[in-house]
């Protein structure tokens, strides 16, 4: 039986906890903290991240936000910032004891989005 990525991440509840920890990590990461402290509505950003993550991992949630390129256009995100965000995400997965195979699946998805986020 094939268990979806959504289920392996703990479903809606697990993803919500992971997203909260990821955003907290971003706020404390000197490479990207300023970007996240300047977000006008952090709760909305968290909700969008939860929906994006849940829908993208096979969950029933619908993502109604902008596509990644549109969301990041004009931000001039550097490779260093992108890698810092990825490190924060992987750290949150570790904290929640997400297995290595699932972590690799998430990492592959993150890398697939790189061209939609860096320097667009």
């Amino acid at each position: 039986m094939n268990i979806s990525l959504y289920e392996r991440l703990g479903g809606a509840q697990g993803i919500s906890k992971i997203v909260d920890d990821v955003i907290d990590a971003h706020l404390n990461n000197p490479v990207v903290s300023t970007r996240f402290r300047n977000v006008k509505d952090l709760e909305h950003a968290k909700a969008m991240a939860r929906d994006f993550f849940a829908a993208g991992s096979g969950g029933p949630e619908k993502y109604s936000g902008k596509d990644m390129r549109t969301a990041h256009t004009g931000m001039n995100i550097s490779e260093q910032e992108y890698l810092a965000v990825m490190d924060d995400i992987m750290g949150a997965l570790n904290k929640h004891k997400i297995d290595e195979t699932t972590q690799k699946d998430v990492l592959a998805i993150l890398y697939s989005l790189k061209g939609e986020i860096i320097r667009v």
Side-chain angles (χ1 to χ4, degrees):
M1 183 169 77
N2 220 353
I3 300 172
S4 73
L5 180 56
Y6 178 78
E7 292 171 295
R8 290 184 282 147
L9 291 169
Q13 188 174 15
I15 289 171
S16 182
K17 290 177 182 174
I18 291 167
V19 167
D20 285 347
D21 285 342
V22 167
I23 299 296
D24 286 347
H26 293 345
L27 289 167
N28 290 296
N29 185 329
V31 177
V32 294
S33 61
T34 302
R35 286 194 186 268
F36 286 87
R37 284 194 198 112
N38 289 330
V39 171
K40 287 181 179 72
D41 186 349
L42 204 53
E43 287 310 310
H44 176 73
K46 283 182 182 183
M48 289 290 99
R50 284 191 292 270
D51 288 351
F52 181 80
F53 218 133
S57 63
E61 290 81 358
K62 300 289 181 233
Y63 175 67
S64 61
K66 300 173 183 173
D67 64 80
M68 288 298 101
R69 180 173 294 277
T70 302
H72 296 91
T73 294
M75 293 177 72
N76 198 28
I77 295 169
S78 70
E79 179 99 17
Q80 181 186 16
E81 289 172 309
Y82 185 77
L83 293 174
V85 164
M86 286 183 56
D87 285 346
D88 289 346
I89 294 168
M90 300 314 288
L93 295 177
N94 266 328
K95 177 180 176 182
H96 290 276
K97 299 185 177 12
I98 302 298
D99 67 272
E100 189 176 339
T101 300
T102 301
Q103 287 189 33
K104 287 179 181 176
D105 290 345
V106 170
L107 194 59
I109 292 166
L110 295 172
Y111 270 116
S112 77
L113 296 170
K114 184 177 178 183
E116 303 292 310
I117 296 172
I118 291 184
R119 291 190 176 85
V120 292

